[in-house]
Amino acid sequence: MKLGMRLRELRRAAGLTLEELAEVSGVSSRAISDMERGYSRMPQPRTLAALASALKVSDQERRRLEEDVRALRRGGTAARPGLCEPPRAVADFTGRADELAVVRRAGADGGRGGPVPVVLVHGQAGVGKTTLALRATEALRGDYPGGCLYVDLRGVDPAPPSAGDIAVRLLRALEVPSRAIAASDEERCAQVRAVLRERRCLLVLDNAADEAQLRPLLPGAGAGLVLVTCRRVLSGLEGVRRLALAPLTPEESAALLRAVADQAALPSAAGDVAEVSRLCGHLPLALRIAGTRLSTRSGWSVRHLVDRLSGEDRRLAALRTGDVSVGAAFALSHAQLSVAARRVFRRLAHLPGPDFSAPVVVLVTDDDLVDTVDVLDELVELGLLQPRGADRYQLHDLLRLFAGERLRGEEPEGERAAVRLDMARRLLEITVTAGRWFEPGFGAPPATWAGPVPLATAGEAAYWLRSEAENWLGALRMAAAAGEHRRVVETAEALHWFSDTAVAWRGWYEVYGLSRASAAELGDRQLEVTHLNYYAWAACACARRFDEGLAAALAARDMAVADGNHKEEAWALQYASDSVKLAGRPGEALELARQALRPADLADDHDGYVHLLVRIGYAQDSLGRYAEALATFRQALRELTERPVSAHQGEAARARIFVYSAHALGLLGRHAEALEQAEAALATTTARDTPALTCRLHLARGLALARLGDHRAARAELTRVVELTEEVPLYTRVYSDEATDILASLDG
């Protein structure tokens, strides 16, 4: 009689439930249940002795139990040693604590009457799927007395084994006699499921090919755990827990390098270790190869390894050691792509940005957008592309290099250059069209617009400009390198008005650096001084290079004066004023702004004239001259009614006047008036949509409400200032500090 059946009969004869026997014997009810059902193949002698004593069995019955155990140890139905034994796990496993916890939780869910938990670990080549599975197996195998079985499904082979072939291996490991193994694949898989239903086993199916290979092997109800690894997402597989592996964090990457190579553990090498991690894209396979190369070359330093990996054209070649190679791992996935997907994949190397949307991919393929999305899904499924949100994708740095190798190997240089330049031109065409939504006199695209990007509203245009900024900026670089200076200047000009809505982006410094150089190449003095002024603004306001911004602004002023260009002279003085103001010299800023009034008036630059008055009032406010500032703001409001200021600029000026007036009134103790001005500002779109202005508006309201005794409303306003500062910290930190001080005074 089998051990499990004998124990069950003895327990029932004693009139005990599982829980009662557990309480008397000190053995857990789960362990007793596993023994009775055959999940625990070889109980320890002390466990058996405790149960025999609790059941009060006779000496003869005790000897029968001991004989059953000895029979199991001699062979019995235990799994044959050596079959389906997992490979050796790495000793220097690093990180993945959260992922291992997911696997442990899934294992704990097994044996509760439902289906056997199946955890699918998926991700790109080299991300450490098998390493994680083996680490989990090592940690959990003691919880599975029915055995631990490992099979490499060879999913990236040209002809992976079928589910039936794998079933034969598993049945042999599970000690099913050869003559009892069914003839058909379907029946063999059913046998595997039946055996696993009755045993508490840990089954590791590594490197799965697809759903068809895997699905027939998965057991139904039972107490085991199935751990699957695959490069594919296997989206057609039902009822599994998917665990997507990403590259390591920078801290985990550094820890792995230190564990593999002694040189990386030196404190002096910390900076170089971080650089190696970055160059490896934090991909575990690449990091392990790099660390192994370092550890086997005693004369190398980490800096030497950085130098070896720095060149993009030889990085993949450097990430090879012995029979292991990052490029070879990628090639196995690449070989599974369709012809269409291979073409799209290699052309992704043309895209300059780190992430992109499907319409941008169309610019290098000329394929239908719907077909392109299908191909991108294929790349995602194989782990060659990572999704980023609902409509964006990202190519890992090393996969981008691999795509570049495929591109150079499969398309002639002339074709590559033509596709790249055409992509740049089309990207910039979209950028100009989107930018002109914000430029007075333009707005919506013409009725003939047939671009791949929806630009029906200003919101859609702004979303595209922000989300694809790195791609169109890369295209601008390409156009400049190709000598297409007119296109560069046109693009930068079209973005001028939009840039005011995204001042925090440091990329404007490069945009207007490129357009300044292109304008000079064109030999057009008007363009040159205009874009020199734009560059002065970007250097100061965006890049925070105040001295550089001031120097550019003064050079533009001198150029404008020489040409009699009053409008650009006024703008140059405004940008010079901004530079010294942000550098902490408000007195100089006030004087420069005042100097700009006359040329702006001479140029009939009514928009600029009103904004200059606002600047002057703001400078007076910064100097603590609040009454003077209020008088200047009132003058600016009068000018708004008397001059033909454009609607957009008029609203922007009015919003600033109201907000700045509220601030000055509050500091003068005129809190009721301050609230009135703040309410007027709230009615303007500019005050609601400009982060720094919005912060100042809520600060003015919070201060006024606090002084008027409405502390609850004041706290809400001041808390909003702090929240906004966290979102857009560049120009708003000073407002957060003020708000925090006022909040502290209220709490005090």
Side-chain angles (χ1 to χ4, degrees):
M1 184 181 296
K2 293 182 179 180
L3 175 65
M5 295 174 60
R6 194 183 303 280
L7 277 175
R8 185 182 298 111
E9 286 192 359
L10 290 171
R11 176 175 60 79
R12 289 174 176 171
L16 297 175
T17 65
L18 281 172
E19 290 73 17
E20 289 169 341
L21 179 56
E23 183 176 353
V24 174
S25 66
V27 179
S28 71
S29 59
R30 176 66 174 271
I32 298 171
S33 175
D34 284 348
M35 282 187 277
E36 290 187 359
R37 291 184 293 167
Y39 291 169
S40 181
R41 311 302 299 165
M42 302 206 186
Q44 295 295 319
R46 61 179 179 274
T47 302
L48 191 64
L51 291 172
S53 297
L55 291 168
K56 299 178 180 179
V57 300
S58 65
D59 291 342
Q60 181 180 10
E61 200 62 56
R62 184 188 293 266
R63 285 193 293 273
R64 286 179 182 173
L65 290 172
E66 292 171 349
E67 179 57 33
D68 285 343
V69 173
R70 283 194 292 273
L72 286 174
R73 295 186 185 281
R74 288 194 299 268
T77 58
R80 184 181 301 162
L83 291 183
C84 296
E85 175 67 15
R88 172 176 175 269
V90 298
D92 48 18
F93 184 87
T94 302
R96 305 298 195 196
D98 291 343
E99 291 85 351
L100 287 170
V102 170
V103 178
R104 288 193 189 95
R105 286 196 296 271
D109 290 342
R112 297 182 179 178
V116 171
V118 179
V119 178
L120 169 61
V121 182
H122 64 91
Q124 71 179 81
V127 81
K129 301 178 293 295
T130 298
T131 303
L132 174 70
L134 294 178
R135 180 69 168 192
T137 299
E138 189 177 65
L140 296 176
R141 65 183 305 165
D143 297 338
Y144 295 88
C148 176
L149 307 175
Y150 169 93
V151 183
D152 183 354
L153 304 189
R154 305 202 313 271
V156 293
D157 284 8
S162 68
D165 293 337
I166 298 160
V168 171
R169 292 186 59 189
L170 289 172
L171 290 169
R172 288 174 178 169
L174 291 165
E175 201 60 29
V176 175
S178 297
R179 63 180 178 275
I181 296 177
S184 73
D185 286 355
E186 182 179 354
E187 290 176 341
R188 291 170 185 167
C189 292
Q191 286 180 304
V192 169
R193 298 194 299 271
V195 175
L196 293 178
R197 182 185 182 93
E198 298 301 322
R199 296 191 188 180
R200 184 170 169 77
C201 290
L202 173 58
L203 176 59
V204 183
L205 300 175
D206 191 22
N207 193 14
D210 52 31
E211 294 92 337
Q213 182 197 47
L214 194 62
R215 189 180 287 113
L217 299 170
L218 300 181
L225 172 67
V226 181
L227 193 54
V228 180
T229 75
C230 187
R231 298 186 182 198
R232 297 177 181 270
V233 180
L234 298 184
S235 52
L237 205 61
E238 310 88 353
V240 302
R241 307 183 191 191
R242 289 181 172 79
L243 182 57
L245 281 198
L248 298 175
T249 66
E251 294 76 19
E252 290 171 338
S253 298
L256 178 55
L257 283 171
R258 289 193 295 268
V260 176
D262 290 341
Q263 299 98 313
L266 297 172
S268 59
D272 291 334
V273 167
E275 181 65 6
V276 169
S277 300
R278 185 189 68 79
L279 292 170
C280 289
H282 304 289
L283 194 68
L285 176 61
L287 290 162
R288 191 169 292 282
I289 290 173
T292 300
R293 293 198 67 186
L294 186 60
S295 67
T296 56
R297 290 162 173 79
S298 58
W300 280 21
S301 66
V302 186
R303 168 46 54 181
H304 184 82
L305 184 58
V306 169
D307 294 339
R308 301 276 295 206
L309 296 174
S310 292
E312 290 189 352
D313 57 338
R314 55 192 176 94
R315 190 175 306 157
L316 285 179
L319 290 172
R320 177 193 302 272
T321 184
D323 62 348
V324 182
S325 163
V326 171
F330 291 163
L332 291 173
S333 293
H334 183 264
Q336 298 185 339
L337 293 174
S338 64
V339 174
R342 291 184 187 185
R343 175 174 174 269
V344 170
F345 174 73
R346 66 177 178 262
R347 289 198 169 186
L348 293 179
H350 283 306
L351 303 182
D355 57 85
F356 46 85
S357 60
V360 174
V361 179
V362 169
L363 302 181
V364 293
T365 64
D366 277 330
D367 295 333
D368 180 79
L369 181 59
V370 174
D371 293 339
T372 297
V373 171
D374 289 342
V375 170
L376 293 175
D377 285 345
E378 181 181 344
L379 295 175
V380 169
E381 178 73 17
L382 267 167
L384 289 169
L385 195 62
Q386 290 77 48
R388 287 291 176 268
D391 61 351
R392 299 194 67 75
Y393 306 86
Q394 183 172 351
L395 193 63
H396 186 273
D397 289 347
L398 295 180
L399 278 168
R400 182 182 294 275
L401 296 180
F402 181 75
E405 287 186 356
R406 302 279 73 75
L407 184 65
R408 290 189 294 275
E410 297 171 30
E411 294 187 15
E413 196 284 329
E415 181 180 351
R416 298 198 307 269
V419 169
R420 187 163 49 250
L421 185 56
D422 183 61
M423 172 204 68
R425 289 169 175 167
R426 294 169 70 184
L427 265 172
L428 296 183
E429 179 187 0
I430 299 170
T431 302
V432 168
T433 305
R436 283 181 172 160
W437 254 111
F438 307 91
E439 186 175 354
F442 286 91
T448 56
W449 169 252
V453 177
L455 298 176
T457 67
E460 287 180 342
Y463 173 77
W464 193 86
L465 288 170
R466 288 188 170 95
S467 61
E468 303 295 354
E470 294 301 325
N471 283 306
W472 61 253
L473 178 54
L476 198 68
R477 295 188 195 110
M478 293 177 191
E484 298 197 348
H485 301 302
R486 184 70 61 182
R487 191 183 303 275
V488 172
V489 170
E490 178 190 21
T491 304
E493 184 64 48
L495 291 167
H496 172 58
W497 293 92
F498 172 74
S499 67
D500 284 340
T501 72
V503 177
W505 187 51
R506 295 178 67 88
W508 297 122
Y509 177 71
E510 185 176 1
V511 169
Y512 289 109
L514 290 170
S515 69
R516 168 197 181 183
S518 286
E521 288 289 335
L522 291 172
D524 184 323
R525 295 274 294 185
Q526 174 63 45
L527 285 178
E528 187 174 355
V529 71
T530 298
H531 285 266
L532 182 56
N533 264 330
Y534 293 163
Y535 177 71
W537 167 80
C540 167
C542 308
R544 314 296 281 174
R545 301 184 179 202
F546 306 131
D547 291 342
E548 189 175 339
L550 177 60
L554 294 178
R557 179 202 59 186
D558 294 343
M559 188 179 211
V561 168
D563 293 347
N565 188 335
H566 297 303
K567 181 177 180 178
E568 293 305 327
E569 178 189 354
W571 280 108
L573 288 166
Q574 289 186 59
Y575 295 139
S577 174
D578 288 345
S579 295
V580 296
K581 177 189 71 178
L582 292 172
R585 302 186 329 248
E588 291 180 52
L590 176 58
E591 180 56 32
L592 286 165
R594 281 176 170 160
Q595 290 178 26
L597 280 173
R598 182 174 179 276
D601 198 27
L602 290 172
D604 289 332
D605 183 4
H606 305 294
D607 293 2
Y609 190 89
V610 170
H611 278 291
L612 271 170
L613 286 174
V614 176
R615 271 182 168 84
I616 291 169
Y618 185 78
Q620 291 165 334
D621 181 285
S622 300
L623 290 166
R625 293 151 57 173
Y626 307 121
E628 289 181 43
L630 286 172
T632 303
F633 293 143
R634 285 194 294 271
Q635 181 186 353
L637 280 175
R638 288 195 301 272
E639 296 289 346
L640 275 173
T641 62
E642 295 172 3
R643 291 175 178 265
V645 177
S646 64
H648 175 77
Q649 290 303 305
E651 193 215 52
R654 192 170 283 107
R656 284 172 168 79
I657 291 168
F658 291 148
V659 173
Y660 298 158
S661 294
H663 181 263
L665 286 164
L667 293 174
L668 286 171
R670 295 157 61 179
H671 303 300
E673 294 175 72
L675 278 181
E676 290 177 5
Q677 292 293 299
E679 290 299 326
L682 277 174
T684 67
T685 303
T686 303
R688 297 194 304 269
D689 294 348
T690 307
L693 203 61
T694 306
C695 279
R696 196 175 182 92
L697 171 59
H698 285 290
L699 179 62
R701 283 172 57 83
L703 175 63
L705 289 165
R707 298 297 180 262
L708 291 171
D710 191 346
H711 290 183
R712 181 177 180 181
R715 283 193 181 90
E717 295 289 337
L718 297 168
T719 300
R720 183 59 182 146
V721 173
V722 176
E723 293 171 349
L724 285 168
T725 301
E726 295 301 320
E727 296 170 13
V728 188
L730 185 59
Y731 292 111
T732 55
R733 177 60 61 192
V734 64
Y735 303 142
S736 176
D737 293 342
E738 289 186 43
T740 302
D741 289 343
I742 301 171
L743 281 168
S745 70
L746 293 178
D747 294 336

